[in-house]
Amino acid sequence: MRALRATYERVRGDRVLVILLVGFVALQIARPASVGDLFARIDQHTILTLAGLLMLTRAIDQSGFLDWLAQRLLRAFRTERRLALLMVAFAAALSTLLTNDVALFAVVPLAQSLARIAPVRIERLIIFLALAVNAGSSLTPLGNPQNLFLWQHSGMGFGAYVVMMTPLTLALMAVLLVTCAMAFDSRVLHFQRRGPAHDVRWPLLWVALALFVAFVVLADHGAATWACAGVAAVLLVARRNAVFGIDWLLLAIFVLMFVVLRGVAGLPEVRATLGQVDLSGSGMAYMGAAVLSQVISNVPAAILLAEYSHNWPALAHGAAVGGFGLAIGSLANLIALRMAKSDKIWWRFHWLSLPFYLVALCVGYVALKWG
């Protein structure tokens, strides 16, 4: 009974989850869907990949390695500005190959380890990391799900796709790095505490890292079910809490997002409205993807608009820009903000992300026209 009460309190205190639950109920009242239809909306590959990453990053965090690495980074980059610029550049570079959500699961726990031993403004740093993975992931087809989808349907070569997105990515990163340099000052960071090197559980770390590599490879080849099951089986033996102690509410949020947002995207009224809009031109396709992403997230927006427009460059640019702005614009935003475990960060994120979205809209349009 106590466990149920605690779960209820956690659910009630999670605004995103409450909003999605209300949206789910409203959709079911307005247009009821069968259990089979609801399950069909869930992207099982994404959910299983997310579950596996949650277990792996928890195991790596519990190994103590991130605290160990954080100490060495602070010795090499003693000012907050240099450290923030390094983390932002690293997150962006990582997201070009490992997708934006995987990159976050690597860099956000590291940032939190930095904050445990030095006065780093962690909420501000996590916000910039979320923006960084959205900007960096726009470069390659591997960077995010909407790029992978659009690349596969466009028939473009991998290199051609990267060349097409390079001007936008470079421009977004330039704006982001300048903004980051202004947001963090050059004050020297001093250690609040030092942890002994032997605190690192090296066997657990090596197991987790080996699992991480195998997991990413298997998930990228469509075997997320086996990958997730394998990670769970090994960690149940090596570190049971890494399995049972993950953020289950985050998984619930993602399940509901697929159910609710795909339900909204599939409404006849929505489809009828889109059918009346001429999305053949670059400008309309670009703005359609960038604006619709603010309502149903950029992955569903790209999938939905691809039925009405084959202007792949415009859709790719618009979906990339659509990841900024509202938190719902990109699933990576929700992951980063949930990992921060702070209510205030949601408002602070939008204070920065919404202006960045407006700048990105202009940058994206210029990059599309000049590309």
Side-chain angles (χ1 to χ4, degrees):
M1 191 69 180
R2 185 176 298 176
L4 288 175
R5 182 179 294 275
T7 302
Y8 170 75
E9 291 298 329
R10 285 190 64 197
V11 171
R12 191 179 68 170
D14 195 309
R15 297 174 184 174
V16 176
L17 186 56
V18 170
I19 291 172
L20 287 171
L21 285 170
V22 171
F24 171 72
V25 172
L27 272 177
Q28 282 297 95
I29 293 174
R31 191 168 294 276
S34 66
V35 174
D37 289 338
L38 294 176
F39 272 105
R41 295 177 191 171
I42 301 171
D43 189 327
Q44 296 182 17
H45 178 85
T46 299
I47 298 300
L48 290 169
T49 300
L50 178 59
L53 290 170
L54 285 171
M55 290 185 282
L56 287 167
T57 51
R58 185 166 179 81
I60 293 172
D61 186 47
Q62 291 180 347
S63 74
F65 171 74
L66 294 176
D67 284 341
W68 178 86
L69 179 60
Q71 291 179 9
R72 279 145 184 82
L73 284 175
L74 284 170
R75 292 191 186 106
F77 300 87
R78 296 301 300 273
T79 69
E80 188 182 40
R81 177 179 294 148
R82 289 180 182 177
L83 192 64
L85 289 171
L86 168 72
M87 293 291 292
V88 166
F90 177 61
L94 203 60
S95 67
T96 64
L97 299 175
L98 295 181
T99 74
N100 49 10
D101 51 355
V102 176
L104 280 175
F105 278 109
V107 296
V108 171
L110 176 58
Q112 291 169 327
S113 294
L114 290 167
R116 285 196 289 266
I117 61 176
V120 178
R121 285 175 282 189
I122 184 61
E123 289 188 3
R124 185 175 299 184
L125 182 55
I126 289 177
I127 290 170
F128 272 94
L129 292 177
L131 299 178
V133 299
N134 282 322
S137 66
S138 66
L139 180 63
T140 71
L142 305 179
N144 50 55
Q146 72 269 15
N147 273 10
L148 185 61
F149 170 81
L150 294 171
W151 171 58
Q152 290 175 339
H153 283 72
S154 68
M156 297 176 64
F158 187 94
Y161 195 97
V162 172
V163 170
M164 177 184 75
M165 299 302 292
T166 294
L168 172 63
T169 304
L170 291 178
L172 290 175
M173 284 304 303
V175 175
L176 181 60
L177 289 172
V178 170
T179 307
C180 182
M182 296 170 60
F184 294 92
D185 54 42
S186 58
R187 60 193 177 97
V188 177
L189 297 172
H190 298 285
F191 285 102
Q192 294 176 340
R193 67 174 179 85
R194 291 177 182 268
H198 63 263
D199 277 350
V200 180
R201 299 180 178 89
W202 294 104
L204 176 60
L205 174 67
W206 297 128
V207 168
L209 290 177
L211 287 173
F212 194 95
V213 173
F215 179 84
V216 171
V217 172
L218 287 173
D220 280 345
H221 286 80
T225 302
W226 291 105
C228 186
V231 166
V234 174
L235 290 182
L236 280 172
V237 176
R239 191 75 175 178
R240 183 171 298 181
N241 186 255
V243 178
F244 295 117
I246 65 174
D247 189 349
W248 293 102
L249 288 187
L250 178 60
L251 286 175
I253 284 173
F254 268 70
V255 168
L256 279 171
M257 279 193 66
F258 282 118
V259 171
V260 174
L261 296 181
R262 285 183 170 175
V264 171
L267 290 174
E269 295 82 1
V270 173
R271 291 185 171 273
T273 300
L274 290 175
Q276 296 175 1
V277 179
D278 183 10
L279 295 171
S280 59
S282 295
M284 286 301 296
Y286 169 75
M287 289 301 297
V291 173
L292 189 60
S293 296
Q294 300 298 293
V295 181
I296 63 172
S297 191
N298 53 7
V299 178
I303 294 173
L304 178 62
L305 292 179
E307 298 183 18
Y308 301 93
S309 174
H310 290 169
N311 194 322
W312 308 116
L315 294 179
H317 282 68
V321 169
F324 305 105
L326 298 176
I328 201 175
S330 170
L331 299 182
N333 294 337
L334 296 177
I335 291 175
L337 299 184
R338 284 282 303 181
M339 293 177 75
K341 295 181 174 63
S342 169
D343 291 332
K344 293 181 180 179
I345 195 174
W346 294 86
W347 299 105
R348 292 169 180 167
F349 172 82
H350 290 102
W351 183 257
L352 179 62
S353 184
L354 287 172
F356 194 90
Y357 170 69
L358 296 177
V359 174
L361 268 179
C362 300
V363 169
Y365 186 78
V366 172
L368 177 64
K369 291 300 182 181
W370 285 6

